[in-house]
Amino acid sequence: MKNILLTAINAKYIHSNPAVYSLQAYAAKRGYVASIAEYTINHSVEEILGSIYEHHPDVICFSCYIWNISYVKELVAELYKLRPKLPIWLGGPEVSFCAKELLSEYPQITGIMIGEGEQTFVELCACIENEKSIDGVAGIVWRREDGEIVENPMRELLSMDDLPFCYEKLERFENRIIYYETSRGCPFSCSYCLSSVDKKLRMRSLSLVYPELQFFFDHKVPQVKFVDRTFNCDHGHAMGIWSYLKAHDNGVTNFHFEIAADLLREDELALLETMRPGLVQFEIGVQSTHEPTIHEIRRTMNLDRLSEAVMRVHRANNIHQHLDLIAGLPFEDYETFKKSFDAVYSLRPQQLQLGFLKVLRGSYMYEQAKAYGLLYRDMPPYEVMATRWISYAQMRKLKLVEEMLEVHYNSGQFEAALGILEKQYAHPFDMYEELGAYYVKEDLLERKHSRLARSEIFYAFALKKDPEHAKEYEEALTYDLYIRENAKRRPAWAPDLTPYKKEITNLLRESGLDKRYCHVELFTCGDSPKWVIFDYENRDPWTNHAKLVSYSTES
C-alpha cells in the first residue's frame, strides 16, 4: 500500500481543512488509504518540511488556497531537493485556474487536480497503487515523463449524496471549528467570487443531513460552520434544516450560515425569531449599496428587502449578524463607499466587516482588471491597491477606517461609549475616519494597547470632539470595561470606591452574591444615580456579558 499524504496548511490552529478530510473519507469508502498532515501558516517552512519528510510519503498532495500558496510553492521547491522522485500533486481553488502556468513555472510538480477532487483523487490512487497510466483520469493537468504538459478533460460533478460524512472521529477536531457542507455551487454570478464559476447547484438530501446534524448535537460540538455559499437559496432546504435545529437544540451548539438576507421569507423569519439566542448566526454579504456597482458586479440583491430582514432579525435579539462590505469594487468611489458604509452601519449588525477586493484568478473580476484600472498585489491574497474610482491614498484611509472599526465596533468593547460619540456625527463613517487620523497624529498605530489603554485613548479623543459630555463618556467607558471583565486596574477617571466599602458589602450580601466573582460600580449620570453589580458567574450566553443587578442609591 502506497503512503499517500494529504497536506493542509491552515490560516489558524482552530481551523480545519474539510477538503482533505473529504478526499480521505471518500477514498476510504473505495478501499484506498491516505493519511493527513495539517499545519498552520504560523509554522515555519522548515518545521513543515521536516515533518513531511518524517512522514516518508510515496506521494504528497497539497491543498492550495490564497493563504497558503506561498508556503506550498516554497515547500515544493525544497521538498524536491530532498526527494527528487517524489510525486507532488496540488489541488484547490488557488491552483485550479492556473494549472498549466504553475506546471511550467515549477517543474517539480507532477500534476494538479482541477475543481472538485473526490473522484479524481480516487482514480489517481488507483493508478498509483496499480502503477497504471493516468492518461484517462479526468479533472487533472499533469506532466508526462518527457516534460509535456497535458490537460485532461474536465470531470462531471458528483451528487452531494455520494460524499461521505467525515467527522465520525471527532477527536481529530478537538478545539477546532467543524466545517460542514450541504450544498455546492451557487445560483448567482458575483464577478469577484469563484463560486459563481460553478453554476450547477447541488443539494445534499435532508434524509442524510438530519442524522449528521444530530451527530453534532449528540456530541455537543461547540460550533459548526456551514460552507454552503448561499445557504438559503433553496427555501425548502433551508427551512428543513433550521426547523430541525430548533427542534433538536441541545443548548450548546452554534451553527453559522452564509445567507442572502433579501431571500428570507416570512415563514423563515418567523421561525428564526423563536430560536434560542446563539443557536444560529449569520454572515451576510452586502458588499455595496451603490446601485451601479451592484449591477456591474452581477449581484442579484434587493437592498430594501435585505434591510427589512436584517432589522427584523436584529429586533428579535437572538441571532448574531455579521455583515460584509467590499472596498475597491467597480464604479464605487470614496464618497459612494462612505454611503454604503453608513447604510450598513445603520442596520446595527454585531459585526461589520470592511474587506478589500481580492482579484482572484478565474473570476470575471480578474478578466476585467484592466478595464477597471485595478492595481492589486501580485502576491496572495491579491488585494486591490487602487482602482479607476479610488486612489491608493484613499485606500490607505479606508484601511485606517477598517482598523478603527475592528478595535471599537467589532470588538464589542465600546458599545455604550460609541452610542454617545455617534451623536456628534452626521455620518458614522466620519467618526471612524477621524479616529484613524487621531491614531496617526498621536503615533498610536504601531503599538500594542491594553484594553484599559484603548479606553483611555477613546476618552482623550472623545473629549477633544465633545468636551461637554465628559462625565457621560467616563461612565460609559467604565460600564463597557466592567460588563465584559473584572478589570484589575481602574480607569483614572473612575471614582474612588473605598469610602463605600461597607455599603458595597451590604449590597452584595442582600443580593446573595460572592464578592470574589462580582464588581460593584456607582453610576451618577442620569435622573437616578444607582449602584450596579456586575455578576461574572452569571453571564449572558449570547453576548458573554456579566449579568447586571441595579440598586438605586436612595434604597
Side-chain angles (χ1 to χ4, degrees), residues 231-512:
F231 174 77
N232 62 323
C233 62
D234 183 290
H235 173 70
H237 187 79
M239 276 295 286
I241 289 174
W242 284 337
S243 297
Y244 190 92
L245 297 185
K246 182 179 185 301
H248 298 82
D249 180 18
N250 63 6
V252 174
T253 306
N254 163 267
F255 294 87
H256 175 103
F257 300 92
E258 293 185 29
I259 69 163
D262 57 316
L263 296 183
L264 289 172
R265 300 186 188 181
E266 173 59 33
D267 56 346
E268 290 173 318
L269 288 164
L271 172 64
L272 292 168
E273 287 173 335
T274 66
M275 289 184 170
R276 166 181 63 85
L279 173 59
V280 303
Q281 66 186 50
F282 291 156
E283 183 172 349
I284 300 167
V286 183
Q287 320 312 11
S288 174
T289 65
H290 187 49
E291 289 289 355
T293 296
I294 294 170
H295 176 76
E296 184 65 20
I297 63 177
R298 301 176 169 183
R299 270 183 78 72
T300 303
M301 181 171 62
N302 184 322
L303 282 170
D304 291 337
R305 180 63 187 137
L306 181 147
S307 298
E308 291 170 7
V310 168
M311 289 307 297
R312 182 163 168 182
V313 171
H314 180 78
R315 287 192 294 271
N317 199 35
N318 65 334
I319 295 175
H320 179 109
Q321 296 186 99
H322 176 147
L323 271 57
D324 296 333
L325 284 172
I326 296 179
L329 294 173
F331 296 165
E332 185 148 70
D333 60 19
Y334 196 79
E335 288 303 311
T336 53
F337 184 83
K338 175 178 171 178
K339 292 177 182 177
S340 289
F341 181 99
D342 288 345
V344 175
Y345 192 88
S346 71
L347 299 177
R348 310 308 298 186
Q350 277 69 37
Q351 287 202 317
L352 198 176
Q353 179 69 45
L354 198 174
F356 292 80
L357 177 66
K358 312 295 189 295
V359 185
L360 304 176
R361 292 174 183 267
S363 69
Y364 180 74
M365 189 67 69
Y366 178 80
E367 296 174 9
Q368 296 298 309
K370 187 173 182 180
Y372 297 149
L374 300 182
L375 302 180
Y376 60 93
R377 300 286 299 272
D378 288 337
M379 298 297 291
Y382 316 113
E383 191 170 276
V384 70
M385 297 186 291
T387 75
R388 278 173 48 194
W389 301 272
I390 294 185
S391 69
Y392 178 60
Q394 290 173 325
M395 205 67 80
R396 283 172 54 81
K397 289 175 70 175
L398 290 180
K399 283 285 186 180
L400 272 178
V401 170
E402 177 200 25
E403 184 166 348
M404 295 300 102
L405 187 71
E406 287 296 318
V407 167
H408 299 98
Y409 185 87
N410 290 339
S411 69
Q413 296 177 5
F414 295 87
E415 290 182 24
L418 282 173
I420 302 170
L421 186 59
E422 285 170 2
K423 296 174 184 176
Q424 302 302 314
Y425 292 88
H427 303 286
F429 181 92
D430 293 341
M431 178 178 67
Y432 292 100
E433 186 180 54
E434 287 184 18
L435 263 168
Y438 179 78
Y439 264 70
V440 171
K441 181 181 177 183
E442 300 297 325
D443 192 27
L444 298 167
L445 281 177
E446 301 302 325
R447 304 185 198 175
K448 287 186 177 180
H449 301 287
S450 67
R451 213 117 169 254
L452 185 56
R454 291 282 190 192
S455 296
E456 291 167 345
I457 293 167
F458 187 96
Y459 180 60
F461 174 80
L463 286 190
K464 285 181 177 291
K465 182 70 178 179
D466 181 27
E468 293 181 9
H469 296 94
K471 185 63 176 177
E472 286 89 337
Y473 288 115
E474 290 172 6
E475 294 203 344
L477 287 166
T478 300
Y479 174 88
D480 284 332
L481 184 66
Y482 285 109
I483 192 70
R484 297 172 69 90
E485 62 180 279
N486 194 355
K488 294 179 180 178
R489 187 164 67 90
R490 286 177 65 69
W493 59 78
D496 180 10
L497 298 179
T498 304
Y500 303 100
K501 187 174 181 180
K502 185 176 181 180
E503 189 169 356
I504 290 171
T505 300
N506 290 336
L507 284 172
L508 289 169
R509 184 183 300 116
E510 289 174 20
S511 304

Side-chain angles (χ1 to χ4, degrees), residues 36 157 159 187 234 369 371 419 435:
I36 290 175
L157 298 175
S159 163
D234 183 290
L435 263 168

Side-chain angles (χ1 to χ4, degrees), residues 65-82:
Y65 298 86
I66 55 176
W67 61 79
N68 70 14
I69 188 63
S70 296
Y71 278 73
V72 171
K73 288 178 177 178
E74 187 172 352
L75 285 165
V76 164
E78 303 305 331
L79 192 57
Y80 183 80
K81 296 174 185 175
L82 299 172

